[in-house]
Amino acid sequence: MRLDRLIQLSFRMGSKEARIFLARRNVQVNGNVEVHGSAQIGHFDRVEARNTVLQARVPRYLLLHKPVGVVSATTDLLHQTVIDLIREPWASELHLAGRLDRFTSGLVVLTNDSSFSTALTLPQKKVPKTYLVTTDSDIASEVVEAFKNGMLFAKEGVTTEPAIFDLLGNRCCRLTIFEGKHHQVKRMFLRFGIRVVALHRESIGHLHLGDLAAGDYRELTAEERLVP
Ligand code: URA
C-alpha cells in the first residue's frame, strides 16, 4: 500500500491534508522520517505518526510436528486444529503453508508471511516433499516404476513429476514428490489397490522435522526463512 493511503485511512484525511502531514515530517517508517506519499509500505514495515503506531507486524515462521488426528485448518468445530497447538498470543495470525490430511503426521509450516507460504506452495516451484509411507500390502516393482515415471491425475489434468522412491521394506518406503495435490500419496498408491496405513512428512524443501516431538513446534532459523 502507498504511504499516503495508509495516512488517509488511519487519520481520515483527504489527499491534500495527508500530503501536508507527510511534508511536516510527522511520519516515520521503520524509524526513519518519510515525506513521500508514494512510498510503498510492506506488510511488515513499522509505521508511526505523532507517537501513534499505525502498523507494526512481526513476521512469524513456525515449524510444527502435526500429530495424527489434528486437522490442518485454522478453525474446526469437531477436531483440534494445528492452531490449537500453538501456545502463543499471536497464534490466530498464522496460516498454513501446505496441509496434511487428518491421519497424516509430520512437518507443517505456519506463518503470517504470505510471500513465504506462497514460495513454499507454488506449483511452479516444484518444492520437494518427503514422506515415510507404510502400506497394507507389499509394494511391487511395477509400483516403484510407476512412481518414478510420473502419474497422470486426470481430475487435475496434471502428470506428476518423477518421484524419488526409496524402498525400505516390503511395505515401507521413503517417497519424495514435487506437487501437493489433495491426498496425493494415498491416491497414488490406491491406483495399485494399496492402502497407506501410516503417512508421515519428514521434510519440505530445505525444512526438516528432525527430532521434534509430535505436537511440538519451533521457530525457523534465519537461514530456514530464506525463500526456496
Ligand atoms: N498425501 C496424502 O495422501 N496426504 C497428505 O496429507 C499429504 C500427501
Side-chain angles (χ1 to χ4, degrees), residues 7-204:
I7 299 299
Q8 288 171 39
L9 290 172
S10 305
F11 294 110
R12 293 167 183 246
M13 282 180 183
S15 57
K16 187 173 171 200
E17 219 181 337
R19 198 159 52 244
I20 295 167
F21 188 77
L22 280 157
R24 288 187 176 152
R25 306 176 67 80
N26 281 310
V27 182
Q28 291 190 335
V29 177
N30 299 326
N32 302 315
V33 171
E34 178 59 76
V35 295
H36 298 105
S38 59
Q40 284 297 327
I41 302 302
H43 194 64
F44 295 112
D45 285 329
R46 182 183 175 87
V47 184
E48 291 167 85
R50 288 195 174 159
N51 297 326
T52 305
V53 177
L54 307 187
Q55 175 178 296
R57 294 190 189 96
V58 179
R60 313 278 186 190
Y61 307 89
L62 296 182
L63 189 153
L64 167 74
H65 182 161
K66 184 187 99 57
V68 168
V70 173
V71 292
S72 292
T74 48
T75 56
D76 191 280
L77 291 176
L78 290 179
H79 305 105
Q80 192 175 36
T81 72
V82 288
I83 297 293
D84 295 332
L85 297 175
I86 310 300
R87 299 169 302 278
E88 309 291 343
W90 37 264
S92 64
E93 292 174 20
L94 302 172
H95 64 267
L96 280 144
R99 292 161 190 271
L100 289 176
D101 71 55
R102 184 151 67 94
F103 302 102
T104 296
S105 59
L107 191 162
V108 293
V109 173
L110 292 154
T111 181
N112 60 353
D113 180 351
S114 51
S115 6
F116 188 74
S117 51
T118 303
L120 272 191
T121 54
L122 207 63
Q124 296 89 311
K125 293 256 182 181
K126 301 188 193 302
V127 176
K129 294 149 200 92
T130 299
Y131 296 86
L132 259 187
V133 189
T134 310
T135 58
D136 71 342
S137 46
D138 291 359
I139 304 168
S141 56
E142 84 203 45
V143 176
V144 180
E145 282 315 302
F147 272 75
K148 285 184 175 174
N149 289 333
M151 255 177 238
L152 174 67
F153 273 63
K155 199 169 112 192
E156 288 95 343
V158 167
T159 299
T160 60
E161 289 289 311
I164 301 169
F165 203 109
D166 190 6
L167 203 54
L168 303 173
N170 292 343
R171 299 181 178 190
C172 184
C173 70
R174 177 170 284 115
L175 173 70
T176 300
I177 56 173
F178 297 85
E179 307 81 15
K181 302 272 157 252
H182 187 60
H183 288 179
Q184 180 169 338
V185 175
K186 292 175 181 172
R187 285 164 68 198
M188 288 172 95
F189 276 98
L190 260 188
R191 294 268 174 99
F192 303 91
I194 299 174
R195 299 187 85 82
V196 170
V197 293
L199 185 60
H200 176 77
R201 184 153 69 194
E202 296 181 319
S203 64
I204 302 177

